[in-house]
Amino acid sequence: MSIWLFSFVSGLFLLHFSIALILINKEVPQSRGMLYPRESETREVRSLDGIWNFVRSDQANPTQGVREEWYSKDLSKSGPTIPMPVPASYNDITTDNLRDHVGTVWYDRKFFAPRSWAVDQRVWLRFGSVHYEAYVWVNGQKVVKHEIGHLPFEAEVTHLLKYGAENRVTVMCDNALIQTTVPQGRITELPNDEGMTIVQSYTFDFFNYAGIHRSVHLYTTPKTFIEEVVVTTNLSKDNVGGEVLYSVKFNGSAINEADNALYVRAQLYDREGKLVANGTSDAQLSGSLQVDNVNPWWPYLMHPEPGYLYQLEVKLHASNDELLDVYRLKVGLRTLSWSNATFQINGRPVYFRGFGRHEDADVRGKGLDNALMVRDFNLLKWIGANAYRTSHYPYSEESMQFADEHGIMIVDECPSVDAENYNQELLGKHKSSLEQLIHRDRNHPSVVMWSIANEPRTREMNADSYFQLVANLTRSLDKTRPITAAIATPWTDDKAGRFLDIISFNRYNAWYSNTGRLDMVTKKVVEEAVAWNKKYNKPVIMAEYGADTLEGLHLQPAYVWSEEFQTEVFARHFKAFDILRKKGWFIGEFVWNFADFKTAQSYTRVGGNKKGVFTRARQPKASAHLLRKRYFALARELDDSSFPEDLFTYIADMGKTENA
Ligand code: GCB
């Protein structure tokens, strides 16, 4: 059945004049389970990270491996393999043109399933993310397929494993982006020197890295186990009393059918490991814990002890009190509220000072890298930022946990970038990406906002009905956080802002418009922010501004691409932001970008996008030092935090100290 409904003009079967595409609201599949793999007295976790075997398919014959059933035996039996690290993007590992490969690639590896796992438990195979589409087999049997990168997926493999013996996992990964994938792209066949070749193109501005990007885990659960835990928190008005509301779902037989009286014991421990609250759930496995003298979760620099986390211990019991399963997770107690002018955390207004970022690095591409993650958080704290947007896709679960610990607020973005040509299939996947994202991230105190898209073409026909449906779904899944989208369509033409709670706009004054004109920044930024606020009467954030900057290029007076220019562009924006802050509804500034990153090849990109405040190797450009002064000055003014000792370099006595 066609999913497109056309209105025909004058009874003609013609589409030239007006194609009224009606988008239908269809249910999206609901995610299940996928709690982050954690060991406990009832669970074991094993990593399958390491060096896997890898084969690239013939681009002209992408389904060959499936037809020839490469998954039924070791990949090396079907042809030569090369070693490939997991997690990592495969693109920059070799010295040939694997970087630009389009279509399918294959991975496999062997692993042992211990004999002890054969008895009385389940085994799960979980991928943190494979980009863009993944097909997984275990010992030749298909176990799971997942589309949309950057999101976890898993399958039970209990019945497919050979216990006390070697097993094989095979993954086929497809990086092709088309008009119905999220994000969208195009595949075209073009003539080249050898005949014809397949070319992937896309409008978004980051390299389409692909492969097994995050960790692969095997983990065990008991037969009857905790499948879902949802946590929300409340604070009393004075932030002294706290409440943790939890709701648990189990999977498995309730021991016997007559026994549906499973229950949960929930215990909350503070940072020192002291038990501060405990209770027993109701029959629906929900309950609440009251905490006296609570330590609320505060953002970095808003409180001397930011990122305070408790540990929630969830124990699933049978009605005869037998302990079935134990799962522990970190919980931050905080409240969020917002109006048409403010955004508040624990009753205090928040002003966001942060970045748009990318998961991107030399060699490993978008592969999870703990060293890089920790370095990035050190830099975020060094520079005094309190927030970032996960532009333009969900970031690793490990980084979300790190943000919780360090009090960094996250605007959590789904993988929709530059959405256009709105169609039913795209809508379904876009909604599914948000469903999966919210399912994954709903318990993180660091997540304070959902971003439902970056730079969608919101003047296009159907942008309004499309975004209404996307926003409605998001709200139906989580009412505790506001919704935004980073919009670049001029405010005059935008049709999506009315469905958002907070307006975020991206604009590159003195870069893409009026290039080089530093004298044309401040007024334009103020005017545009005021216009967005007037149009929608909602809080406004500048979600992107910046200038490409080649590290080490110095030109005085400032000239595009130089470090002087980036610094000046920032300063002109700061002036605008300070004018806007006085208006009350302007609630944040996000520089584009935290660090330089790789893009597709283009004559506008010298080795990638260079708008980073840090280089790709995570070293500061001149602008980083200026931004640091601004972010700490804002933190002092708004949140009463103190300056780090090294914020201002000694220049001269200025007559302030007495003679020795
Ligand atoms: C934007 C996009 C971002 C780009 C940036 C740029 O508006 O949201 O993905 O990288 O501009 O530098 O062009």
Side-chain angles (χ1 to χ4, degrees):
M1 194 183 81
S2 167
I3 47 173
W4 296 55
L5 297 181
F6 296 108
S7 84
F8 297 102
V9 179
S10 312
L12 297 173
F13 296 107
L14 290 179
L15 308 171
H16 328 279
F17 296 111
S18 79
I19 303 175
L21 174 68
I22 298 167
L23 295 163
I24 300 166
N25 196 27
K26 292 190 180 171
E27 297 268 301
V28 289
Q30 295 291 301
S31 307
R32 287 185 65 174
M34 271 179 305
L35 287 172
Y36 188 77
R38 288 203 175 87
E39 291 177 334
S40 76
E41 44 276 59
T42 55
R43 294 168 172 242
E44 276 182 66
V45 180
R46 281 206 26 212
S47 165
L48 292 185
D49 293 354
I51 306 291
W52 291 44
N53 309 304
F54 180 91
V55 175
R56 97 178 73 171
S57 308
D58 176 356
Q59 274 197 178
N61 197 358
T63 55
Q64 179 189 8
V66 176
R67 279 185 284 106
E68 294 176 5
E69 301 183 356
W70 289 358
Y71 49 83
S72 63
K73 47 191 187 295
D74 293 355
L75 273 181
S76 58
K77 303 253 166 62
S78 302
T81 61
I82 58 169
M84 189 55 70
V86 169
S89 301
Y90 59 72
N91 308 76
D92 291 346
I93 301 296
T94 66
T95 48
D96 61 7
N97 66 349
L98 181 57
R99 186 191 62 207
D100 297 321
H101 176 76
V102 184
T104 54
V105 298
W106 291 74
Y107 291 76
D108 83 356
R109 70 159 282 169
K110 297 279 191 58
F111 62 92
F112 248 89
R115 256 188 281 172
S116 58
W117 284 9
V119 194
D120 226 20
Q121 55 192 330
R122 302 171 183 241
V123 187
W124 301 81
L125 176 61
R126 186 187 196 274
F127 291 79
S129 132
V130 179
H131 186 77
Y132 170 82
E133 189 168 20
Y135 296 76
V136 181
W137 295 262
V138 168
N139 296 330
Q141 302 292 313
K142 181 157 181 221
V143 293
V144 65
K145 166 184 181 297
H146 182 262
E147 179 179 347
I148 308 181
H150 320 288
L151 290 160
F153 57 94
E154 67 181 10
E156 187 177 353
V157 293
T158 317
H159 307 296
L160 299 173
L161 293 183
K162 293 180 243 161
Y163 296 94
E166 212 173 35
N167 294 270
R168 184 183 55 245
V169 54
T170 312
V171 178
M172 183 179 82
C173 162
D174 189 351
N175 68 353
L177 300 179
I178 55 174
Q179 285 297 287
T180 51
T181 54
V182 181
Q184 292 161 293
R186 277 179 207 282
I187 304 271
T188 34
E189 228 191 333
L190 294 176
N192 70 356
D193 294 346
E194 275 86 49
M196 296 298 278
T197 189
I198 290 163
V199 176
Q200 169 79 72
S201 61
Y202 39 86
T203 60
F204 58 83
D205 186 38
F206 54 93
F207 191 77
N208 186 37
Y209 279 115
I212 304 181
H213 278 162
R214 297 183 191 145
S215 292
V216 185
H217 288 111
L218 278 174
Y219 71 92
T220 66
T221 64
K223 286 257 184 278
T224 300
F225 67 100
I226 297 163
E227 189 176 43
E228 313 262 342
V229 183
V230 185
V231 174
T232 51
T233 62
N234 285 318
L235 295 174
S236 61
K237 265 222 157 75
D238 55 5
N239 289 340
V240 173
E243 184 181 40
V244 175
L245 298 151
Y246 62 88
S247 139
V248 173
K249 280 195 188 135
F250 77 95
N251 188 340
S253 65
I255 311 304
N256 63 63
E257 276 317 308
D259 177 4
N260 51 13
L262 297 189
Y263 68 93
V264 161
R265 287 283 303 160
Q267 326 229 59
L268 195 72
Y269 296 88
D270 69 10
R271 244 186 210 172
E272 277 68 51
K274 202 176 112 219
L275 182 69
V276 294
N278 68 90
T280 303
S281 70
D282 60 19
Q284 282 72 50
L285 307 188
S286 299
S288 73
L289 299 172
Q290 307 302 318
V291 190
D292 299 328
N293 294 319
V294 68
N295 276 306
W297 188 92
W298 285 105
Y300 175 55
L301 299 182
M302 227 170 148
H303 189 271
E305 227 182 324
Y308 194 100
L309 296 177
Y310 292 83
Q311 177 155 273
L312 179 64
E313 184 179 79
V314 179
K315 291 186 166 172
L316 180 68
H317 287 272
S319 58
N320 64 1
D321 294 338
E322 184 194 344
L323 177 63
L324 299 173
D325 192 14
V326 184
Y327 188 81
R328 296 180 179 85
L329 73 160
K330 295 282 172 71
V331 169
L333 280 88
R334 54 123 182 86
T335 57
L336 300 179
S337 54
W338 59 97
S339 67
N340 63 348
T342 60
F343 174 82
Q344 301 195 325
I345 193 156
N346 307 336
R348 267 171 62 188
V350 168
Y351 185 75
F352 293 97
R353 20 173 232 280
F355 294 96
R357 297 186 57 196
H358 269 297
E359 288 189 326
D360 171 273
D362 215 12
V363 184
R364 59 192 69 58
K366 292 202 180 302
L368 174 68
D369 176 349
N370 286 329
L372 187 80
M373 182 183 79
V374 177
R375 170 79 178 168
D376 284 357
F377 272 84
N378 286 338
L379 291 174
L380 284 165
K381 290 169 80 175
W382 173 82
I383 211 164
N386 64 5
Y388 63 82
R389 175 165 62 112
T390 66
S391 42
H392 298 310
Y393 39 79
Y395 289 7
S396 70
E397 292 159 278
E398 292 77 5
S399 71
M400 306 305 287
Q401 292 159 14
F402 223 71
D404 291 343
E405 299 271 354
H406 293 267
I408 300 295
M409 292 177 286
I410 306 286
V411 178
D412 207 359
E413 190 158 278
C414 77
S416 171
V417 201
D418 295 5
E420 58 185 355
N421 304 325
Y422 300 109
N423 60 72
Q424 191 71 42
E425 200 176 338
L426 184 74
L427 174 64
K429 286 185 200 163
H430 191 161
K431 289 199 311 192
S432 169
S433 77
L434 275 155
E435 189 280 331
Q436 293 179 57
L437 177 65
I438 293 170
H439 183 91
R440 190 193 78 159
D441 287 350
R442 59 194 169 184
N443 292 337
H444 287 289
S446 56
V447 176
V448 297
M449 210 182 292
W450 303 113
S451 170
I452 61 174
N454 180 73
E455 300 199 357
R457 311 314 191 206
T458 60
R459 62 149 74 94
E460 261 185 37
M461 188 168 64
N462 278 317
D464 40 4
S465 52
Y466 184 94
F467 279 100
Q468 183 169 24
L469 295 174
V470 173
N472 285 350
L473 173 89
T474 310
R475 247 178 227 115
S476 74
L477 294 168
D478 182 13
K479 291 179 185 50
T480 70
R481 295 172 176 93
I483 300 176
T484 194
I487 302 177
T489 302
W491 65 271
T492 41
D493 302 353
D494 170 67
K495 298 193 213 163
R498 66 193 176 102
F499 306 114
L500 308 174
D501 300 307
I502 291 169
I503 305 292
S504 299
F505 74 100
N506 299 348
R507 195 70 62 215
Y508 289 86
N509 290 292
W511 191 259
Y512 294 126
S513 52
N514 304 316
T515 312
R517 297 305 304 248
L518 291 165
D519 58 334
M520 296 184 189
V521 173
T522 308
K523 208 165 137 203
K524 293 226 173 269
V525 172
V526 173
E527 280 171 3
E528 179 164 9
V530 168
W532 281 109
N533 175 259
K534 268 216 167 113
K535 179 165 179 180
Y536 292 121
N537 188 27
K538 289 176 183 169
V540 176
I541 291 174
M542 188 157 200
E544 287 185 22
Y545 69 97
D548 281 88
T549 305
L550 206 57
E551 59 182 295
L553 178 67
H554 290 280
L555 296 166
Q556 184 66 29
Y559 188 94
V560 283
W561 289 94
S562 68
E563 300 218 22
E564 284 73 11
F565 188 79
Q566 188 182 36
T567 308
E568 263 303 308
V569 165
F570 283 14
R572 306 285 172 140
H573 280 82
F574 299 163
K575 209 166 170 189
F577 300 150
D578 284 348
I579 296 168
L580 289 166
R581 283 199 297 129
K582 297 207 178 84
K583 300 189 185 290
W585 44 258
F586 188 76
I587 61 163
E589 51 189 87
F590 289 77
V591 171
W592 189 259
N593 188 282
F594 175 75
D596 293 347
F597 58 91
K598 185 74 157 277
T599 62
Q601 299 187 62
S602 139
Y603 52 78
T604 61
R605 297 282 176 258
V606 188
N609 187 309
K610 300 284 186 202
K611 293 194 185 71
V613 163
F614 298 99
T615 64
R616 205 178 189 211
R618 273 44 179 193
Q619 295 300 338
K621 298 183 189 170
S623 62
H625 297 279
L626 180 79
L627 192 62
R628 183 169 184 238
K629 293 193 175 93
R630 164 126 186 124
Y631 281 179
F632 275 103
L634 286 170
R636 186 159 94 162
E637 180 196 323
L638 300 170
D639 299 324
D640 224 12
S641 82
S642 51
F643 285 152
E645 271 174 21
D646 65 342
L647 189 63
F648 296 102
T649 316
Y650 180 86
I651 300 169
D653 187 312
M654 311 280 194
K656 279 191 191 137
T657 54
E658 311 238 320
N659 285 341

